[in-house]
């Protein structure tokens, strides 16, 4: 019978044995064929995701540091690497959080359904002398677009933002 690598890796992560988890990942990658993604390769990626998601960041960094080094010349693309090196690069990307950040940003951007017309109509009805209303609209925009990299309202209204005073100016810059 095949050992349950996921359970073994969880136990090793629980006792913070970064070397053991790295060995487990390498063992799974070594049992992969070069032709297709096999069950063991996918298990290695799942274990890396679990380590990044459930354990302390420094532990994931230790595991990534203990993986085999990829021997490539500077400027070499990932696609030109041997299959085993590609797999190690993917594991390091998962353990460093690059993959999770990219998917989170993509999800927030694609699922952002805020209505810019509401923001524009609120801006047009506000009293320009009230810094409280000014701040409220800036914060409403920042909450509506948090994490999405959408800043069209701010870019379209730079002259309006420039009229902010003290705390509102700071808030507009920070948001």
């Amino acid at each position: 019978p095949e050992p349950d690598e996921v359970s073994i890796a969880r136990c090793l992560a629980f006792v913070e044995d970064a070397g053991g988890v790295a060995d487990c990942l390498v063992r799974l990658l070594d049992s992969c064929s070069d032709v297709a993604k096999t069950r063991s390769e996918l298990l290695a990626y799942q274990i890396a995701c679990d380590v990044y998601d459930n354990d302390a960041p420094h532990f994931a960094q230790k595991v990534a540091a203990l993986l085999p080094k990829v021997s490539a010349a500077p400027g070499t693309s990932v696609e030109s690497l041997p299959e085993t090196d590609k797999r190690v690069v993917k594991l390091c990307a998962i353990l460093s959080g690059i993959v999770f950040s990219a998917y989170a940003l993509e999800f927030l951007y694609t699922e952002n359904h805020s209505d810019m017309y509401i923001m524009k109509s609120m801006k047009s009805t506000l009293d320009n002398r009230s810094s409280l209303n000014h701040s409220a609209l800036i914060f409403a925009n920042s909450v509506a677009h948090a994490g999405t990299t959408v800043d069209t309202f701010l870019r379209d209204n730079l002259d309006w933002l420039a009229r902010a005073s003290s705390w509102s100016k700071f808030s507009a810059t920070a948001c």
Side-chain angles (χ1 to χ4, degrees), residues 103-153:
Y103 283 132
L105 180 62
E106 180 184 347
F107 173 78
L108 289 172
Y109 185 79
T110 57
E111 297 301 318
N112 178 21
H113 302 297
S114 60
D115 192 356
M116 293 302 290
Y117 180 74
I118 293 173
M119 299 297 289
K120 289 178 184 176
S121 63
M122 285 175 60
K123 178 189 157 270
S124 65
T125 59
L126 287 180
D127 180 19
N128 284 337
R129 295 168 294 187
S130 174
S131 67
L132 180 65
N133 292 338
H134 195 274
S135 294
L137 187 57
I138 291 170
F139 283 122
N141 177 65
S142 64
V143 169
H145 298 108
T148 62
T149 69
V150 175
D151 61 352
T152 52
F153 179 76

Side-chain angles (χ1 to χ4, degrees), residues 63-124:
V63 173
L66 293 172
L67 290 173
K69 302 295 180 228
V70 176
S71 57
T76 306
S77 71
V78 175
E79 299 304 318
S80 64
L81 293 173
E83 197 62 35
T84 55
D85 286 350
K86 285 182 193 176
R87 292 174 179 145
V88 172
V89 168
K90 286 180 187 177
L91 278 178
C92 289
I94 291 169
L95 289 168
S96 68
I98 293 170
V99 173
F100 283 92
S101 298
Y103 283 132
L105 180 62
E106 180 184 347
F107 173 78
L108 289 172
Y109 185 79
T110 57
E111 297 301 318
N112 178 21
H113 302 297
S114 60
D115 192 356
M116 293 302 290
Y117 180 74
I118 293 173
M119 299 297 289
K120 289 178 184 176
S121 63
M122 285 175 60
K123 178 189 157 270
S124 65

